[in-house]
Amino acid sequence: MNLLVILAIIAAWIGLRFLKANSLAWAAGIWVGLYVGLSYGINPPLPSSILSMFMAIITLALVTYLTAGNDRMKEMADTIVTFVVDKRYTGALIGVLIALPLLVSFKVYLNMTQAPEPPISGRTIHPVPPNTITVNGSPFNIVEGHNPYRELESSDPDAFALHLENGRRVYYQNCVFCHGDNMEGDGQFAHGLDPIPANFQDATTIAMLQESYLYWRVAKGGPGLPSESTPWLSAMPAWENFLTEEEMWDVIMFLYDYTGQRPRVSEEVH
Amino acid sequence: MKTLATLLTLLYFVAPSAAQNVDLGTDAQREAGRLMYNAKCSHCHGARGAGDGAATAFLRPAPRDFTTGTFKFRTTENGELPTDEDIRRSIRQGMPYTGMPPWPQLSEQEVDNLMYYIKTFSDFFSGPFAEVTALDMPSPPSITDESIVRGREVFLENSCIDCHGNLGRGDGPSGPTLTDQWDIPIRAADLTKRWTFRGGSTRSDIYRTFTTGLDGSPMPAFDIQPIEDQWALVNYVHSLSRDEADYSTYATSVFTTAAIDPSAGADAFSAAPEAFFAMVGQVIEPGRSFFPGVNGLAVRAMHNADHIGIMLQWNDMSADTDGINGPGLEVPIWPNDTDTTQAFSDAVAIQFPSGDGSGGGLPYLLFGDVSNSVDLWFADLSTPRADHYVGNGSGNLTASGMDYETSASYEDGQWTVIIKRDRTLDGQITFEDAAFAPVLFSVWDGFSRERGNRRGLTSWTYLYLEPAETESPLGPMAMYGLITLLLGLGATTLIRRKYSNVSA
């Protein structure tokens, strides 16, 4: 979010409100405001193809709004007619008639000289998991399965602490290089990876997933992703090749412990 | 006037005692520091600060051993303890391109607590040498061309090239033999990549580094006089590198009417823009590479109607042309890779998806997968060839027997490898005008014993072929401008005719 840009747009809209602008000016103001906001107000910036798509929808919506009622239609038409016919505006009219073609030419110039953009590969971040997976020969049901060590948290805190300590070791010998010391997805290799490693501190990653889902992601890694999640790009290893099942559960519990997040639990169905 | 005199008197008495009074913090601060240290630092620096945590074997440079009181980044004399602020700065800023991240999320109190706890690991902090004085760190004067020229002379006079190399690429003759105080191999900084400087990349940082030295590493402190020469050296080192890595998202191949001739060398590619890609360790499959020898790769490409040439350049402290290498060689799991009888040569590979890539996805980034193969152009730099392999995943590579016209040269710490291919080749990707070809690069550093799956690599990226002729925008600009003008005039005329009587 680029807060300054967003605030400037809101200020401009408040200005329009005070000027008691008519529908046409409002439509123009909203169009320009949204264009500027979408182009410069968001980080990372939208790809230009997505931006054109959004603007096309916005344009359609505004035209529909302006032409939807007879009063508004008349108000808009009157504004245009007055501007074109009234002698007081002749100077401005000539200005517009010259400025418009120049703007169009400039846009054509920009389009034809801009650097080419590499293909965008959209990817689903949290794809739907399969029902069951086989981890090193043992089947695991993702829908009904659960972390066999989680119950220790209440039943045997000392044993649970040992699992966390082992998870810590596993993390710092295997995961830290990409997911980072503070688990923000910014390890020392993260800058060379595309897509970037998951940020576990973020509320939209492990906090909204069940532990069995993480077990799937850890055990099967990038190669185990469905094609809508571009398995060929992901640098996440299939950890079943390196770690035991217990080590994978331990590191999952350590992720939650370190970040202070809680795993999502499935609600009991009665 | 009297106030000023008082002030001056005060200053006189205060200034000499700027040596810090040894501050070891309170019990509560050290205890808070201990808890924080155990949660965030101990897995690398060790439970007792000896630099022997669970992750230590996988990190180079190795995590610091705090028990010896030896610190790299100081504003104090060589061999002295750091100031409190030095320790705080290292925690806050971290060390780029190492396992030590910056910790901006910690509060000032938390950093203080950590600093006090770290000081408990070494008795030196409570001993007779604990009181240290920060040296004067002047602000940098402006950069002049003369000072950069003089800086080059200072660089040579002080034998900087012995470790850092003639052009600063970290390839000095001593480079391969360097170890730290604990006998762990360490590399001289590549001065052409300022963004990787562990102690920071500003001119003030560079000044601090060479005037106080990096204790525990082979980097000594230099007492260069006069002070203008110190800044000349700083300005020269600063001039060797751009500010940031500026990693690219794709490389652009430019059209030429000339023949593509790998033996013509790098000069033939000067018209092509450089794309610079981050290179990180292959840590995905067994044979994981935790400290790859190469951290960045520069790519330029040119094509004519029939051929494409791709030039790869990277800094390497030594040209390893003895030994063998191959993309499919077996690698034991680190750190069990102890048998050093076989030497390995430097190598590089360019990987493209096989076929026309119309299948939707790409092959798996590590040499493809069973259903989607890659074409690998692999150059073992102990040979003058680039061989073609078809990859269906690691351990599933087949040499086709075909090879590509290649040249490889090593100069002043930099490899230049040029590989040429026909733009159209049966079964392989076709390089079309104005199209993006997916591409991935791998580099093996023989000195670091990289082979097979132990290597540096980029992510999947793209190679874009600029079309031979780009259409001039002038025609379309005039046309669309004119159409808009006519439409505007037409609409105005119509509206005026119809509504002229409405005008009030």
Side-chain angles (χ1 to χ4, degrees):
Chain A
M1 273 293 192
N2 195 336
L3 212 60
L4 278 180
V5 172
I6 306 284
L7 285 177
I9 293 166
I10 292 173
W13 282 345
I14 293 173
L16 279 182
R17 181 80 181 77
F18 274 107
L19 289 173
K20 298 203 164 54
N22 64 30
S23 307
L24 192 63
W26 261 115
I30 289 171
W31 196 93
V32 171
L34 288 175
Y35 179 76
V36 172
L38 290 170
S39 305
Y40 305 104
I42 333 179
N43 272 321
L46 286 177
S48 64
S49 54
I50 306 280
L51 180 68
S52 327
M53 204 171 77
F54 283 179
M55 289 320 295
I57 295 169
I58 289 165
T59 310
L60 204 67
L62 288 172
V63 169
T64 313
Y65 170 80
L66 285 176
T67 55
N70 279 338
D71 291 351
R72 223 178 281 131
M73 184 84 177
K74 190 172 182 314
E75 184 194 338
M76 180 180 70
D78 287 352
T79 314
I80 295 174
V81 167
T82 311
F83 179 73
V84 173
V85 176
D86 196 318
K87 296 255 182 330
R88 281 177 303 173
Y89 300 118
T90 305
L93 179 65
I94 292 172
V96 168
L97 285 177
I98 294 173
L100 266 184
L102 288 179
L103 270 176
V104 167
S105 296
F106 184 61
K107 177 69 181 153
V108 169
Y109 173 80
L110 285 184
N111 280 1
M112 292 188 64
T113 51
Q114 71 174 347
E117 284 188 49
I120 313 159
S121 53
R123 59 191 299 274
T124 307
I125 304 290
H126 298 308
V128 179
N131 279 338
T132 48
I133 51 173
T134 305
V135 178
N136 285 336
S138 26
F140 179 78
N141 186 315
I142 296 178
V143 184
E144 291 168 4
H146 64 280
N147 174 357
Y149 307 104
R150 178 56 75 182
E151 61 182 22
L152 293 174
E153 193 172 11
S154 48
S155 68
D156 189 348
D158 290 344
F160 186 73
L162 286 178
H163 280 281
L164 284 183
E165 201 46 41
N166 191 42
R168 170 189 297 274
R169 178 192 62 79
V170 171
Y171 185 85
Y172 288 100
Q173 290 185 342
N174 296 283
C175 321
V176 66
F177 313 100
C178 300
H179 292 286
D181 265 273
N182 209 36
M183 302 199 176
E184 290 173 310
D186 57 352
Q188 56 175 320
F189 290 156
H191 69 281
L193 303 179
D194 178 20
I196 54 171
N199 173 354
F200 302 133
Q201 300 280 6
D202 192 285
T204 66
T205 60
I206 58 173
M208 53 172 271
L209 297 169
Q210 297 179 15
E211 284 186 297
S212 57
Y213 188 99
L214 263 71
Y215 187 64
W216 169 53
R217 293 310 326 124
V218 172
K220 298 297 177 184
L225 287 167
S227 62
E228 70 264 25
S229 296
T230 61
W232 48 86
L233 297 178
S234 170
M236 176 73 173
W239 286 104
E240 62 177 341
N241 299 333
F242 297 87
L243 303 174
T244 65
E245 287 148 67
E246 188 178 333
E247 283 175 322
M248 290 191 275
W249 285 119
D250 287 353
V251 78
I252 289 169
M253 292 187 288
F254 177 63
L255 297 187
Y256 284 106
D257 183 71
Y258 187 99
T259 58
Q261 317 264 28
R262 295 299 300 172
R264 184 167 162 189
V265 286
S266 50
E267 281 156 40
E268 291 293 327
V269 182
H270 295 287
Chain B
M1 207 59 204
K2 200 178 166 205
T3 343
L4 186 69
T6 324
L7 244 168
L8 283 174
T9 324
L10 256 175
L11 263 179
Y12 177 78
F13 284 108
V14 170
S17 62
Q20 62 171 335
N21 290 314
V22 183
D23 177 7
L24 298 174
T26 64
D27 285 346
Q29 284 174 311
R30 287 192 298 272
E31 176 58 14
R34 185 181 70 83
L35 294 175
M36 174 75 72
Y37 177 92
N38 286 346
K40 298 198 184 286
C41 320
S42 62
H43 24 263
C44 297
H45 291 288
R48 303 197 178 280
D52 56 352
T56 298
F58 306 94
L59 299 171
R60 277 190 197 164
R64 180 82 348 177
D65 172 355
F66 296 127
T67 61
T68 63
T70 308
F71 286 78
K72 268 181 167 172
F73 306 110
R74 306 168 335 282
T75 52
T76 60
E77 293 280 2
N78 199 234
E80 286 190 344
L81 292 174
T83 65
D84 291 356
E85 186 50 31
D86 289 338
I87 299 178
R88 288 193 199 100
R89 186 180 56 245
S90 289
I91 296 172
R92 281 203 204 98
Q93 299 185 353
M95 282 135 217
Y97 289 76
T98 75
M100 175 69 186
W103 293 96
Q105 62 275 65
L106 299 184
S107 70
E108 281 188 25
Q109 284 79 14
E110 288 170 324
V111 172
D112 276 352
N113 298 341
L114 276 176
M115 182 266 296
Y116 289 129
Y117 184 60
I118 286 167
K119 285 166 76 165
T120 67
F121 289 128
S122 168
D123 292 340
F124 286 112
F125 282 105
S126 50
F129 306 108
E131 200 166 307
V132 289
T133 313
L135 299 174
D136 183 32
M137 292 287 146
S139 344
S142 54
I143 303 177
T144 62
D145 290 345
E146 298 78 46
S147 76
I148 293 175
V149 171
R150 173 66 193 140
R152 169 72 187 173
E153 293 166 10
V154 178
F155 187 74
L156 296 174
E157 285 161 15
N158 287 278
S159 307
C160 303
I161 66 169
D162 286 0
C163 297
H164 294 288
N166 181 32
L167 298 182
R169 292 180 180 138
D171 60 313
S174 318
T177 65
L178 298 176
T179 59
D180 67 11
Q181 185 179 316
W182 297 267
D183 285 336
I184 299 169
I186 194 170
R187 291 183 173 225
D190 181 342
L191 303 181
T192 66
K193 293 173 183 160
R194 200 191 308 149
W195 55 90
T196 66
F197 288 2
R198 318 295 191 220
S201 60
T202 66
R203 288 195 294 145
S204 297
D205 292 327
I206 299 169
Y207 181 89
R208 183 183 62 244
T209 296
F210 93 84
T211 53
T212 67
L214 301 182
D215 287 356
S217 90
M219 174 72 187
F222 288 89
D223 181 20
I224 294 168
Q225 295 300 336
I227 189 168
E228 287 74 27
D229 278 1
Q230 299 181 0
W231 286 108
L233 180 63
V234 168
N235 291 343
Y236 171 68
V237 170
H238 190 263
S239 74
L240 293 174
S241 162
R242 54 181 182 262
D243 290 337
E244 298 289 340
D246 288 334
Y247 293 119
S248 310
T249 49
Y250 66 90
T252 302
S253 176
V254 296
F255 180 81
T256 175
T257 48
I260 305 287
D261 176 13
S263 63
D267 290 347
F269 284 81
S270 54
E274 178 189 294
F276 187 65
F277 295 107
M279 188 147 268
V280 297
Q282 188 293 107
V283 285
I284 306 166
E285 291 187 346
R288 303 176 80 199
S289 170
F290 296 98
F291 23 89
V294 178
N295 60 15
L297 179 77
V299 179
R300 293 173 194 256
M302 296 191 85
H303 59 276
N304 57 26
D306 303 318
H307 299 104
I308 182 165
I310 301 177
M311 179 172 80
L312 311 169
Q313 290 182 306
W314 68 96
N315 295 355
D316 187 339
M317 72 175 169
S318 59
D320 303 286
T321 51
D322 292 331
I324 57 164
N325 216 326
L329 293 183
E330 292 273 333
V331 201
I333 286 174
W334 177 261
N336 303 335
D337 184 15
T338 46
D339 178 8
T340 53
T341 43
Q342 175 66 57
F344 297 101
S345 44
D346 292 333
V348 65
I350 312 179
Q351 167 182 313
F352 291 101
S354 300
D356 58 2
S358 60
L362 290 172
Y364 186 47
L365 76 164
L366 300 180
F367 299 149
D369 52 79
V370 175
S371 42
N372 287 292
S373 66
V374 296
D375 289 299
L376 203 66
W377 313 359
F378 174 83
D380 173 352
L381 302 177
S382 66
T383 71
R385 296 195 322 277
D387 294 310
H388 173 234
Y389 288 80
V390 175
N392 283 98
S394 306
N396 201 352
L397 293 143
T398 319
S400 72
M402 189 163 36
D403 67 290
Y404 303 103
E405 207 178 319
T406 305
S407 76
S409 59
Y410 179 85
E411 199 182 344
D412 281 327
Q414 186 182 53
W415 270 112
T416 299
V417 176
I418 300 166
I419 301 179
K420 174 186 174 183
R421 210 206 80 173
D422 290 2
R423 285 179 62 177
T424 308
L425 211 58
D426 241 9
Q428 294 198 32
I429 196 164
T430 302
F431 296 104
E432 300 199 47
D433 274 355
F436 284 88
V439 62
L440 187 150
F441 304 95
S442 298
V443 172
W444 288 260
D445 175 34
F447 180 83
S448 304
R449 308 189 54 71
E450 293 177 347
R451 71 276 195 194
N453 251 347
R454 179 163 304 148
R455 65 184 185 277
L457 79 168
T458 67
S459 293
W460 271 120
T461 176
Y462 292 97
L463 177 63
Y464 174 76
L465 268 71
E466 240 172 44
E469 280 175 32
T470 42
E471 196 186 345
S472 160
L474 285 179
M477 280 169 69
M479 187 176 78
Y480 286 107
L482 202 63
I483 292 175
T484 316
L485 182 66
L486 290 178
L487 283 176
L489 286 175
T492 308
T493 317
L494 271 179
I495 294 174
R496 283 207 156 179
R497 240 186 225 164
K498 191 157 179 205
Y499 293 101
S500 53
N501 53 335
V502 180
S503 150

